[in-house]
Amino acid sequence: MPKELTPLEKLQLLVPGYRGYKAKDLIRQDDFLVRQATILKLETALTNLSNSESQIVRTDPFSPLLKNIEDTISQIRTIIGLLNSAQGGGADIYARYKIFTEQLDEIYKNDLQMVSIADQIVTLSNFPDQVYQIKSLLGNLKTVLLNRTKLLFPPETR
């Protein structure tokens, strides 16, 4: 136990039954919302790429672009699976691990990056010839997801 409690911690001890659960619950809810927003954007990109793929098949069924689009669709599905199966931020971890303001700022930056990259992917998915740029962004998104895991579940608690 820390030597000195913060004002919030003192208040939580003064209110019967309240030990900060609400804050932890809000972290879990916010984490879920960010992941779902990212998934929704990636699903939109999937739809756009699938529609483009259909159009290309009708006009040029042997286009080399088709293989790249299919590969990109597969990568997006993989990332959606990772986001869907990721343990929610704060899932009982905060009982053992205290998050400080600096760490929250890093988590917010990470979340913003994740949603921003997904936005860029959606925009580029309207242009099938940009599939290589989408692949690059998917690599960036995977890196952000790895960082997210490190932020929400530090090594000493995993």
Side-chain angles (χ1 to χ4, degrees):
M1 187 150 185
K3 294 178 185 175
E4 187 173 322
L5 297 174
T6 66
L8 176 60
E9 290 169 330
K10 289 177 186 175
L11 180 60
Q12 289 171 341
L13 291 174
L14 292 173
V15 177
Y18 181 76
R19 302 268 184 207
Y21 177 79
K22 187 61 180 175
K24 294 173 195 172
D25 186 49
L26 290 173
I27 290 171
R28 280 192 287 272
Q29 289 177 28
D30 289 347
D31 175 65
F32 176 79
L33 290 173
V34 168
R35 286 187 292 126
Q36 290 306 306
T38 303
I39 288 169
L40 183 63
K41 290 173 188 307
L42 292 176
E43 287 174 342
T44 300
L46 275 178
T47 301
N48 293 345
L49 287 171
S50 294
N51 290 341
S52 294
E53 185 179 37
S54 296
Q55 290 173 358
I56 293 169
V57 165
R58 283 192 295 266
T59 58
D60 183 8
F62 301 108
S63 171
L65 189 57
L66 290 172
K67 183 182 181 317
N68 289 315
I69 291 173
E70 199 53 45
D71 183 47
T72 303
I73 287 172
S74 177
Q75 288 180 29
I76 292 173
R77 285 186 180 135
T78 299
I79 291 176
I80 289 172
L82 290 172
L83 286 165
N84 272 325
S85 65
Q87 186 175 5
D92 298 329
I93 209 74
Y94 298 111
R96 291 172 274 147
Y97 177 70
K98 187 172 185 171
I99 289 208
F100 298 98
T101 306
E102 299 83 23
Q103 292 161 309
L104 275 176
D105 288 343
E106 284 302 311
I107 291 169
Y108 296 147
K109 287 177 191 174
N110 183 272
D111 288 350
L112 176 62
Q113 216 177 359
M114 189 165 66
V115 175
S116 296
I117 291 170
D119 270 339
Q120 292 173 49
I121 290 170
V122 169
T123 301
L124 291 173
S125 70
N126 290 306
F127 309 98
D129 59 330
Q130 297 295 317
V131 73
Y132 295 107
Q133 197 170 355
I134 293 171
K135 284 182 178 185
S136 174
L137 288 170
L138 289 171
N140 295 346
L141 187 54
K142 283 182 184 178
T143 301
V144 169
L145 290 174
L146 287 173
N147 289 338
R148 174 190 179 278
T149 302
K150 290 176 187 173
L151 289 169
L152 295 175
F153 305 99
E156 62 270 8
T157 60
R158 278 190 258 152

